[in-house]
Amino acid sequence: MASSKDIEKAAGVLRAGGLVALPTETVYGLAADAMDPAAISRIFQVKGRPPSHPLIVHLAGAEQLDAWVQDVPVAARVLAEHFWPGPLTLVLRRGPRVPLEATGGLETVAVRVPDHPVALALLAAFGGGVTAPSANRFGSVSPTTANDVRAELGDAVDFVLDGGPCQVGVESTIVDVTGEAPTILRPGGVTREDLEAVLGHPLAVPSTSQVRVPGQHPSHYAPRARVVLVEPETVIAEAEAASESGHQVGVFLPAAFADVPVKAHAVVAVPASPAAYAQGLYGFLREFDQQGCDLIIASLPAEQGLGLAIANRLRRAAGPRHTV
Ligand code: AMP
Ligand code: MG
């Protein structure tokens, strides 16, 4: 676990224009000074991420919001007050200090306050904001431990802060509050139901089948192995058929079938609790890759609560692969 000396060192790396891998409650981020265009450019280089994909600016607290954005609507204040620190990202109108490099050229900027003691300590020591996309190569599985980051990025990152395994395990929920009504751009760690309870009205369900905002490619969060989604009742039969035809199959075994033996290369029993499933999801995908699977058979969970974010990530993991 990162010590206070590590935090000081990491803050120094940020001040010098370097990159720090940062634990958050969602996934590990690759952080740079949000006001340093050259440092931000290095993030895009290291990740292999197209520069048109906007980044999320991470702040130490809601009281910093007005330094970074303009025209904050009441709904945004209510959501920030209720869910920060936490896995909720708000898209707002960009303030003058936000470089266009951080927003992919957009006049809006995504901001959040992470709920992790190491992230908050670094933000306090650094004194500014950091842009921090997930600390993985573009399109691949997000890291949820410091070791995942080291395995994925190696020397390309200047300093890795270890904050233990991420508690939420999937990325933040992104809500655009610049329009008439708040809209969910990406489901994540804060559920739609929780947002609706606080706002007092229903929110549109995001479509996962189309590209809605920059950075929302059909294929993302993808392991090396091909991911195929089937109905829960057919997971076992599909997995065994694929194994028999020579594939090294990794299986996400639905909780309802947890006790059924499956003939496959690797089997993960899906945790019955959506929170545990979300927390483990990326680790399971990485594990299948490490075990040499070339095919992963999974089914979608019910799309409510955290199941909405899990289904979104599985769909994208199974989506058509893109070329950068
Ligand atoms: P991540 O890759 O987890 O850092 O998530 C960043 C994602 O936030 C991007 O891929 C976009 O989908 C979304 N995003 C960031 N900034 C904006 C913005 N200004 N408008 C709309 N979406 C944004
Ligand atoms: Mg990412």
XYZ file of all heavy atoms in Angstrom, residues 27 47 49 53-58 89-92 102-104 106-111 132-134 136 138 142 171-172 174 176 185-186 212-217 220-221 313, ligand 1:
363
model
N -11.400 1.816 -11.204
C -10.275 1.056 -11.763
C -9.027 1.905 -11.549
O -9.125 3.048 -11.105
C -10.481 0.760 -13.278
C -11.771 -0.004 -13.512
C -10.461 2.034 -14.117
N -1.213 5.090 -23.948
C -2.387 4.226 -24.082
C -2.641 3.813 -25.531
O -3.357 2.849 -25.778
C -3.638 4.959 -23.564
C -3.766 4.977 -22.055
C -5.075 5.624 -21.627
C -6.316 4.917 -22.108
N -6.811 3.836 -21.267
N -4.317 5.815 -27.361
C -5.711 6.264 -27.432
C -5.825 7.420 -28.419
O -5.004 8.340 -28.394
C -6.104 6.723 -26.027
C -7.476 7.347 -25.861
C -7.776 7.369 -24.367
N -8.882 8.207 -23.990
C -9.809 7.827 -23.104
N -9.751 6.642 -22.548
N -10.768 8.629 -22.776
N -10.538 11.301 -28.006
C -11.295 10.701 -26.901
C -11.072 11.486 -25.619
O -9.972 11.468 -25.061
C -10.848 9.253 -26.680
C -11.337 8.334 -27.744
N -11.879 7.098 -27.496
C -11.378 8.479 -29.081
C -12.226 6.536 -28.629
N -11.926 7.348 -29.605
N -12.116 12.161 -25.128
C -11.936 13.030 -23.959
C -11.602 12.252 -22.694
O -11.959 11.088 -22.555
C -13.293 13.718 -23.825
C -14.265 12.841 -24.544
C -13.496 12.147 -25.620
N -10.901 12.933 -21.776
C -10.483 12.320 -20.512
C -11.339 12.858 -19.365
O -11.971 13.901 -19.499
C -9.021 12.656 -20.231
C -8.017 12.289 -21.329
C -6.622 12.778 -20.937
C -8.010 10.784 -21.561
N -11.307 12.154 -18.252
C -12.017 12.625 -17.054
C -11.027 13.355 -16.153
O -9.949 12.836 -15.857
C -12.669 11.443 -16.309
C -13.743 10.792 -17.198
C -13.269 11.916 -14.983
C -14.324 9.492 -16.642
N -11.391 14.573 -15.730
C -10.569 15.330 -14.783
C -10.999 14.938 -13.368
O -12.184 15.015 -13.027
C -10.727 16.849 -14.995
C -9.960 17.612 -13.921
C -10.236 17.246 -16.385
N -10.010 14.505 -12.572
C -10.282 14.088 -11.194
C -9.894 15.208 -10.242
O -8.780 15.745 -10.329
C -9.486 12.816 -10.870
C -9.957 11.607 -11.629
N -9.862 11.501 -13.001
C -10.530 10.451 -11.195
C -10.366 10.327 -13.386
N -10.774 9.675 -12.311
N -19.323 10.554 -12.770
C -18.654 11.600 -13.545
C -19.705 12.517 -14.136
O -20.701 12.038 -14.683
C -17.798 10.958 -14.665
O -16.749 10.207 -14.063
C -17.203 12.012 -15.584
N -19.496 13.827 -14.007
C -20.431 14.797 -14.572
C -19.788 15.489 -15.774
O -18.638 15.922 -15.697
C -20.805 15.847 -13.514
C -21.517 15.298 -12.278
C -21.700 16.406 -11.235
C -22.877 14.693 -12.649
N -20.535 15.586 -16.865
C -20.060 16.341 -18.031
C -20.670 17.731 -17.947
O -21.895 17.888 -17.874
C -20.446 15.641 -19.352
C -20.120 16.526 -20.551
C -19.715 14.306 -19.480
N -19.794 18.749 -17.918
C -20.207 20.147 -17.744
C -19.479 21.021 -18.758
O -18.592 20.547 -19.465
C -19.858 20.594 -16.319
C -20.770 20.000 -15.233
C -20.042 19.870 -13.913
C -22.020 20.860 -15.091
N -7.418 17.845 -23.071
C -8.078 16.965 -22.104
C -9.501 16.613 -22.533
O -10.071 15.632 -22.061
C -8.111 17.630 -20.724
N -10.076 17.418 -23.420
C -11.496 17.237 -23.749
C -11.698 16.718 -25.170
O -12.835 16.670 -25.652
C -12.268 18.571 -23.614
O -11.865 19.441 -24.677
C -12.022 19.227 -22.265
N -10.608 16.349 -25.818
C -10.735 15.903 -27.206
C -11.275 17.023 -28.086
O -11.952 16.772 -29.078
N -13.519 19.233 -27.241
C -14.904 19.604 -26.915
C -14.950 20.821 -25.988
O -13.998 21.101 -25.261
C -15.622 18.438 -26.224
C -15.799 17.153 -27.034
C -16.358 16.046 -26.145
C -16.730 17.408 -28.221
N -16.080 21.509 -25.994
C -16.282 22.634 -25.078
C -16.844 22.167 -23.738
O -17.137 22.970 -22.854
C -17.190 23.689 -25.720
C -16.471 24.530 -26.771
C -15.161 25.159 -26.250
O -15.143 25.632 -25.098
O -14.165 25.150 -26.995
N -17.029 20.865 -23.595
C -17.468 20.301 -22.315
C -16.324 19.496 -21.712
O -15.399 19.105 -22.420
C -18.687 19.373 -22.513
O -18.344 18.400 -23.509
C -19.913 20.162 -22.945
N -16.397 19.274 -20.403
C -15.353 18.491 -19.736
C -16.018 17.546 -18.730
O -17.027 17.892 -18.105
C -14.317 19.395 -19.044
C -14.941 20.249 -17.949
C -13.160 18.571 -18.468
N -15.457 16.357 -18.607
C -15.966 15.366 -17.651
C -15.159 15.490 -16.355
O -13.930 15.548 -16.398
C -15.814 13.972 -18.240
N -15.838 15.561 -15.215
C -15.146 15.717 -13.922
C -15.727 14.772 -12.869
O -16.917 14.456 -12.888
C -15.262 17.162 -13.360
C -14.385 18.123 -14.116
C -16.701 17.638 -13.320
N -7.279 11.340 -15.782
C -6.897 9.955 -15.500
C -7.836 8.967 -16.167
O -8.829 8.550 -15.586
C -6.853 9.708 -13.992
N -7.519 8.571 -17.413
C -8.256 7.450 -18.006
C -7.728 6.153 -17.397
O -6.732 6.169 -16.665
C -7.892 7.543 -19.487
C -6.515 8.115 -19.489
C -6.445 9.050 -18.283
N -8.380 5.046 -17.688
C -7.920 3.773 -17.134
C -6.497 3.470 -17.619
O -6.127 3.798 -18.751
C -8.878 2.653 -17.533
O -9.082 2.665 -18.928
N -4.608 1.325 -18.989
C -4.425 0.183 -19.884
C -4.265 0.692 -21.295
O -4.569 1.856 -21.576
C -5.644 -0.745 -19.811
C -6.932 0.006 -20.086
O -7.495 0.620 -19.185
N -7.385 -0.004 -21.334
N -5.309 1.220 -25.089
C -6.623 1.544 -25.624
C -7.378 0.281 -26.048
O -6.857 -0.554 -26.785
C -6.466 2.485 -26.816
C -7.760 2.893 -27.439
C -8.687 3.617 -26.715
C -8.069 2.547 -28.742
C -9.888 4.005 -27.286
C -9.258 2.927 -29.327
C -10.176 3.658 -28.590
N -9.542 -2.955 -18.357
C -9.063 -1.984 -17.373
C -8.411 -2.696 -16.192
O -8.861 -3.763 -15.778
C -10.225 -1.134 -16.860
O -10.924 -0.558 -17.933
N -15.883 1.163 -14.310
C -15.683 2.602 -14.389
C -16.886 3.378 -13.845
O -17.955 2.820 -13.604
C -15.417 3.016 -15.852
C -14.081 2.544 -16.409
C -14.058 1.090 -16.837
O -15.073 0.381 -16.651
O -13.018 0.657 -17.363
N -16.677 4.685 -13.746
C -17.726 5.563 -13.208
C -18.921 5.653 -14.155
O -18.800 5.423 -15.361
C -17.158 6.966 -12.984
O -16.671 7.489 -14.212
N -21.209 7.983 -16.217
C -21.033 9.341 -16.763
C -22.404 9.944 -17.052
O -23.204 9.361 -17.785
C -20.193 9.333 -18.055
C -18.834 8.664 -17.801
C -19.998 10.756 -18.565
C -17.935 8.603 -19.029
N -24.302 13.412 -18.419
C -24.186 14.711 -19.080
C -25.244 15.634 -18.488
O -26.450 15.361 -18.584
C -24.416 14.513 -20.590
C -24.226 15.795 -21.374
O -24.121 16.884 -20.749
O -24.187 15.721 -22.622
N -24.504 8.848 -20.104
C -23.715 8.549 -21.297
C -23.067 7.175 -21.197
O -22.789 6.537 -22.204
C -22.620 9.594 -21.501
C -23.073 11.032 -21.726
C -21.864 11.937 -21.944
C -24.026 11.134 -22.909
N -22.762 6.762 -19.951
C -22.155 5.445 -19.735
C -22.604 4.943 -18.378
O -22.451 5.646 -17.393
C -20.631 5.568 -19.762
C -19.915 4.269 -19.373
C -18.406 4.401 -19.393
N -17.881 5.126 -18.255
C -16.586 5.431 -18.071
N -15.707 5.078 -18.986
N -16.210 6.094 -17.015
N -22.343 6.731 -29.042
C -23.092 7.934 -28.649
C -22.196 9.136 -28.409
O -22.574 10.254 -28.668
C -23.887 7.662 -27.367
C -25.030 6.700 -27.564
C -25.639 6.365 -26.220
N -26.166 7.542 -25.558
C -27.402 7.957 -25.675
N -28.250 7.313 -26.444
N -27.808 9.023 -25.022
N -21.055 8.905 -27.819
C -20.163 10.018 -27.503
C -18.750 9.606 -27.886
O -18.479 8.419 -28.044
C -20.183 10.372 -25.991
C -21.503 10.976 -25.599
C -19.869 9.169 -25.130
N -17.862 10.579 -28.026
C -16.488 10.220 -28.361
C -15.957 9.234 -27.337
O -16.202 9.383 -26.153
C -15.723 11.546 -28.252
C -16.737 12.617 -28.131
C -18.040 11.998 -27.779
N -15.235 8.243 -27.784
C -14.635 7.303 -26.841
C -15.509 6.107 -26.544
O -15.120 5.226 -25.801
N -16.695 6.060 -27.113
C -17.572 4.928 -26.835
C -17.577 3.972 -28.028
O -18.573 3.818 -28.709
C -19.000 5.417 -26.531
C -19.064 6.333 -25.328
C -19.185 5.571 -24.025
O -19.479 4.389 -24.022
N -18.962 6.246 -22.918
N -16.440 3.363 -28.291
C -16.340 2.408 -29.394
C -17.117 1.147 -29.074
O -17.204 0.749 -27.918
C -14.881 2.036 -29.626
C -14.186 2.966 -30.545
N -13.999 2.701 -31.877
C -13.658 4.182 -30.321
C -13.365 3.714 -32.435
N -13.142 4.626 -31.517
N -14.426 -2.448 -26.619
C -13.668 -1.785 -25.567
C -13.624 -2.794 -24.440
O -14.376 -3.749 -24.447
C -14.428 -0.529 -25.140
C -13.531 0.617 -24.785
N -13.246 1.621 -25.669
C -12.851 0.922 -23.651
C -12.444 2.492 -25.073
N -12.190 2.095 -23.848
N -12.775 -2.566 -23.467
C -12.732 -3.456 -22.306
C -12.539 -4.903 -22.747
O -13.054 -5.837 -22.130
C -14.033 -3.363 -21.480
C -14.579 -1.972 -21.285
C -15.716 -1.537 -21.944
C -13.948 -1.091 -20.417
C -16.218 -0.246 -21.749
C -14.429 0.195 -20.223
C -15.565 0.606 -20.903
O -16.052 1.873 -20.707
N -20.272 -3.515 -20.223
C -18.873 -3.894 -20.431
C -18.775 -5.215 -21.174
O -17.915 -5.392 -22.042
C -18.129 -4.008 -19.093
C -18.154 -2.753 -18.232
C -17.721 -1.489 -18.943
N -17.640 -0.383 -18.007
C -18.644 0.456 -17.708
N -19.826 0.323 -18.324
N -18.485 1.426 -16.831
P -12.351 6.600 -19.464
O -11.911 5.987 -20.753
O -12.855 5.635 -18.447
O -11.397 7.604 -18.940
O -13.662 7.405 -19.785
C -13.633 8.594 -20.434
C -14.899 8.632 -21.192
O -15.655 9.725 -20.691
C -14.699 8.951 -22.638
O -14.373 7.818 -23.356
C -16.026 9.560 -23.014
O -16.912 8.549 -23.344
C -16.475 10.213 -21.715
N -16.289 11.663 -21.768
C -15.262 12.355 -21.282
N -15.402 13.655 -21.499
C -16.562 13.798 -22.143
C -17.269 14.924 -22.661
N -16.808 16.149 -22.556
N -18.448 14.689 -23.277
C -18.918 13.431 -23.389
N -18.294 12.335 -22.924
C -17.137 12.514 -22.314
